[in-house]
């Protein structure tokens, strides 16, 4: 029995974190199952991934506090590395990942959402980094990704106060792109994933690489990176077909990832 359910349909994979009795909190087993599920994605088929939580109440309520409570300094650091390695793998997946946040996204839950390319949430979603209230810092990338995603000042407020925010505030600060009624969240996530999957996969992957890697570079190197990725799209079957169809005023044939 895995703590992750995987469903693949029409180029879209849905990974559901399924440990509802602990509000989908991430213990070592859940992290391992998540890594196995990510490693198991067939990237020849899958063009977009959605990550969500089982049940109506929680996306992920954080790293498992019971498991962490007795860790030594060395074990704590190793647990942080474990989570970071899995989340970095998600962040660096060649295809886009959407977090469909269906409730609590606290601590490691918010950190998981921030490792995804895009976050959308339900009206009942709650976000926060409660760690300083527990005597620790965030350990799965929260100090770094939050400060990069929202303003450093707002990130520090969330980190120092350990106060949670609700969906409208998460939308206002740009932590999520959209807020939906709970029953609309997955249909909207699937619709977005299908829209992405219908575009030329080589170009979509190149956009992800350009944004993620370009943000780590100075502007001159980042622009060079875009030039190389832009150039690499030319002469692909999908580029030739996409431009042919536009010029012929026709709908392009389904893209082939070639
Ligand atoms: N770890 C382990 N168990 C958790 C958990 C967590 N992070 N969050 C919830 N649970 C468990 C609860 O212990 C409870 O289990 P029992 O039924 O066996 O008692 C069950 O899930 C249901 O939770 P509650 O009864 O507390 O539900 P609630 O609706 O009253 O409250 C909540 C919901 C506000 C999310 C509350 O559960 C809560 O505050 N959870 C902890 C949130 C948190 O602090 N997360 C950060 C963890 S630290 C971290 O993530 C570090 C890192 O960066 C790596």
């Amino acid at each position: 029995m895995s703590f992750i359910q995987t469903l693949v349909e029409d180029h879209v994979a849905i990974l559901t974190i399924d440990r509802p009795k602990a509000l989908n909190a991430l213990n070592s087993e859940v992290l391992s199952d998540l890594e196995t599920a990510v490693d198991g994605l067939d990237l020849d088929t899958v063009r977009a991934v959605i990550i969500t939580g089982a049940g109506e109440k929680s996306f992920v309520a954080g790293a498992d506090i019971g498991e962490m409570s007795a860790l030594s300094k060395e074990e704590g650091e190793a647990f942080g590395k474990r989570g970071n390695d899995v989340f970095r793998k998600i962040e660096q997946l060649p295809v886009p990942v959407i977090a469909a946040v269906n409730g609590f996204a606290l601590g490691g839950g918010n950190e998981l959402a921030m490792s995804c390319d895009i976050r959308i949430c339900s009206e009942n979603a709650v976000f926060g980094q409660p760690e300083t209230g527990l005597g620790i810092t965030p350990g799965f990338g929260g100090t770094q990704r939050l400060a990069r995603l929202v303003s450093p000042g707002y990130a520090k407020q969330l980190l120092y106060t350990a106060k949670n925010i609700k969906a409208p505030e998460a939308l206002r600060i740009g932590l999520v792109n959209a807020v939906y009624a709970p029953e609309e969240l997955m249909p909207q996530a699937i619709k977005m994933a299908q829209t992405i999957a219908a575009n030329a996969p080589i170009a979509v992957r190149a956009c992800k690489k350009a944004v993620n890697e370009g943000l780590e570079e100075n502007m001159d190197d980042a622009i060079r990176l875009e030039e190389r990725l832009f150039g690499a799209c030319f002469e692909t079957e999908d580029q030739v077909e996409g431009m042919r169809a536009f010029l012929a005023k026709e709908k392009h044939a389904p893209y082939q990832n070639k």
Side-chain angles (χ1 to χ4, degrees), residues 19-26 57-58 61-68 79-80 104 106-109 111 128-131 134 136-142 164:
R19 194 191 170 208
K21 73 177 171 53
L23 301 182
N24 305 323
L26 303 169
K57 195 170 161 182
S58 185
D64 191 289
I65 298 171
E67 183 174 341
M68 286 187 296
F79 187 63
F104 293 114
L106 302 177
E111 291 168 302
Q129 297 292 156
E131 287 89 347
L134 292 164
I136 55 173
T137 68
F140 296 167
N164 298 336

